[in-house]
């Protein structure tokens, strides 16, 4: 995973699912599967291995949001049934996790490109 000569990494393009080098091609061929290369500029993504890095951040962020929301509503609305909390906050945690996983994985791939990580 080497950058073309004079290439810069665009983290905003990566977070939106575009190639972090040219900002045109797609970074992912499916939800979490990185493309082999960029269709526009030919940047190779085969060596991109994020491992469990993005998952750790997703767990921390989604857990903070869900637990914070649970505690807030628990104290603001003490008359709510525990079943209401069990319907709302696990669903919020899952939705937030699904929304964050792809952008955080893309940012990890862009970071690997910028720092010239090799196998």
């Amino acid at each position: 995973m080497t950058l073309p000569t004079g290439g810069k990494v665009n983290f905003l393009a990566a977070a939106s699912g575009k190639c972090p080098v040219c900002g045109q091609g797609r970074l992912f061929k499916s939800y979490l599967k990185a493309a082999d290369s960029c269709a526009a500029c030919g940047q190779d993504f085969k060596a991109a291995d994020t491992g469990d890095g993005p998952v750790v951040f997703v767990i921390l962020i989604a857990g903070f949001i869900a637990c914070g929301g649970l505690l807030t509503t628990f104290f603001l609305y003490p008359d709510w049934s525990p079943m209401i909390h069990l319907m709302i906050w696990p669903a919020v945690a899952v939705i937030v996790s699904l929304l964050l996983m792809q952008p955080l994985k893309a940012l990890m791939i862009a970071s690997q490109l910028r720092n010239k990580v090799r196998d």
Side-chain angles (χ1 to χ4, degrees):
M1 275 186 19
T2 59
L3 286 172
T5 307
K8 298 209 179 210
V9 175
N10 185 344
F11 286 97
L12 290 176
S16 66
K18 304 274 188 218
C19 173
V21 176
C22 69
Q24 301 296 318
R26 295 182 61 189
L27 181 58
F28 295 101
K29 61 182 172 184
S30 65
Y31 181 64
L32 289 176
K33 180 81 172 161
D36 292 333
S37 62
C38 175
C41 69
Q43 175 63 47
D44 182 29
F45 300 125
K46 289 178 188 167
D49 181 23
T50 59
D52 293 335
V55 177
V56 172
F57 293 110
V58 168
I59 289 171
L60 290 172
I61 295 168
F64 178 78
I65 291 170
C67 289
L70 172 68
L71 288 172
T72 302
T73 56
F74 186 74
F75 288 114
L76 289 178
Y77 305 104
D79 54 332
W80 279 13
S81 165
M83 290 306 294
I84 293 176
H85 293 293
L86 287 174
M87 287 188 293
I88 295 173
W89 296 109
V92 167
V94 169
I95 291 168
V96 169
S97 297
L98 291 174
L99 291 174
L100 288 177
M101 182 54 76
Q102 191 177 28
L104 289 178
K105 183 169 181 158
L107 289 173
M108 187 74 73
I109 292 171
S111 177
Q112 289 178 348
L113 277 171
R114 182 162 190 257
N115 294 307
K116 299 176 178 83
V117 175
R118 302 198 193 330
D119 273 347

